[in-house]
Amino acid sequence: MNRQSALFAIHVAAVLFGLTGIFGELIQADAIVITAGRASFAVLALFAFIRYQGGSLMQGFKPRNIGVLVAAGAMLALHWVTFFVSVKIAGVAVATLGFASFPAFITLCECLFFKEKVSTAEWLILALVTLGLVLVTPSFDFQDEATVGLAWAILSGLAFAIFTLINRRAAAHIPAQQVACWENLVVALLTLPFSFPAMAQLDAINWLWIALLGVFCTALSHYLLVSSLMILKARSAGIVIALEPLYAIFFAAILFAQYPSIRALLGGSLMIGAIVWSGLRKTGVHAGKPIPSGEDRLPARRSNRD
């Protein structure tokens, strides 16, 4: 995968991620059940794809990978559960706008844990994202369900930011489809024990929605995300994924007549605009120059012999 195909893959992933909240609204089940179901179907789809390619889950796998994959899977489980809680409480628009804060968390985590320098412009972008979140907040009273839902969405964004950064390491050593399969397996193992009784009561249409969510919005989108992270820096991928609310709000308006307030739209526009500006600014910095090793790509993946 080159940079152009990586960018295309991450844009398709953004559309699929935008449909996630729609399925969360459609499925009549709680957040843990939805998470367990989507992860289980994703594991089946990814395993079938790996076998179709003649591969194996153990190809290139080493004991040192276990900790990274478990940590990433745990963060993915936390991200999904908190996101679906937000959708159930506050609706698709508020949930996706709150989740859109995750690129700001990526920048902060890169600064705190990877000691990457944050420029003045990036601090300004973080300030704009924060202001956008203030505008998106329905009220500052936690008796308001929409505000509680937004808080869950912000927590979901933080968990996804950490998950994305962990994948910078995981994707460097194992093929993308294997990373996605192992991480979804971790999610399933963490959530299925709490889901079996409720799963037995699901009807056929809810199983259909969960299957579509697991195969397309999970297996395929997760594979595209991890594949793109082999080429793109986590922050660059985050910029594209931050467009997810645009797709989610559009689908929610058509299907459920869920329309965000003018204030929420203004705050969301401010957040998304700041994130896109960050991407355009970085693109301008690299225009006409070769991209230095490690600047906007992951570490080169080692061969299976290493």
Side-chain angles (χ1 to χ4, degrees):
M1 181 178 288
N2 56 31
R3 184 173 175 80
Q4 286 70 33
S5 58
L7 286 170
F8 176 76
I10 201 67
H11 276 285
V12 174
V15 176
L16 293 173
F17 284 141
L19 290 170
T20 299
I22 302 301
F23 283 112
E25 185 77 20
L26 286 171
I27 299 167
Q28 301 302 306
D30 64 34
I32 294 182
V33 171
I34 297 173
T35 298
R38 76 179 293 190
S40 299
F41 276 106
V43 169
L44 293 175
L46 288 164
F47 181 75
F49 178 69
I50 291 169
R51 296 301 299 163
Y52 173 78
Q53 289 189 319
S56 167
L57 278 180
M58 302 306 296
Q59 181 181 356
F61 186 86
K62 295 184 178 181
R64 67 170 181 262
N65 302 133
I66 295 176
V68 176
L69 292 172
V70 169
M75 284 298 102
L76 185 60
L78 178 61
H79 157 59
W80 283 346
V81 170
T82 52
F83 178 76
F84 287 125
V85 168
S86 179
V87 169
K88 296 297 184 182
I89 293 175
V92 176
V94 170
T96 52
L97 286 173
F99 164 71
S101 63
F102 83 87
F105 287 121
I106 289 178
T107 300
L108 287 174
C109 289
E110 285 179 333
C111 175
L112 294 173
F113 302 111
F114 294 95
K115 306 303 180 184
E116 295 188 14
K117 184 179 180 180
V118 179
S119 67
T120 302
E122 287 173 320
W123 284 119
L124 176 58
I125 289 167
L126 287 174
L128 291 174
V129 171
T130 302
L131 177 59
L133 282 173
V134 171
L135 292 174
V136 168
T137 303
S139 70
F140 294 96
D141 181 3
F142 276 95
Q143 298 299 317
D144 187 336
E145 284 193 347
T147 302
V148 174
L150 179 63
W152 280 106
I154 294 171
L155 177 58
S156 177
L158 173 60
F160 188 78
I162 297 172
F163 161 74
T164 303
L165 291 169
I166 294 173
N167 262 326
R168 291 175 62 179
R169 180 175 178 182
H173 304 287
I174 309 174
Q177 61 270 29
Q178 288 177 245
V179 173
C181 192
W182 280 111
E183 290 174 351
N184 277 278
L185 180 60
V186 171
V187 174
L189 291 175
L190 289 174
T191 54
L192 279 173
F194 305 98
S195 307
F196 282 124
M199 279 185 163
Q201 300 176 12
L202 292 177
D203 57 17
I205 189 63
N206 282 302
W207 277 114
L208 174 62
W209 298 141
I210 291 175
L212 293 175
L213 174 64
V215 174
F216 292 101
C217 298
T218 309
L220 179 58
S221 63
H222 194 160
Y223 169 69
L224 293 173
L225 172 64
V226 175
S227 296
S228 67
L229 285 170
M230 292 181 177
I231 304 298
L232 303 174
K233 194 174 182 179
R235 200 181 307 171
S236 300
I239 292 166
V240 179
I241 297 298
L243 299 176
E244 173 194 341
L246 296 180
Y247 301 112
I249 291 171
F250 174 75
F251 293 134
I254 292 177
L255 297 174
F256 309 123
Q258 292 184 4
Y259 303 102
S261 66
I262 298 298
R263 177 177 168 177
L265 285 175
L266 178 60
S269 299
L270 191 62
M271 294 167 60
I272 295 170
I275 295 165
V276 171
W277 170 44
S278 174
L280 294 175
R281 189 182 64 82
K282 290 180 181 298
T283 301
V285 169
H286 294 305
K289 300 179 183 179
I291 299 175
S293 176
E295 173 61 23
D296 203 37
R297 60 178 68 241
L298 293 177
R301 195 174 73 198
R302 297 178 181 176
S303 70
N304 292 331
R305 296 190 299 271
D306 292 344

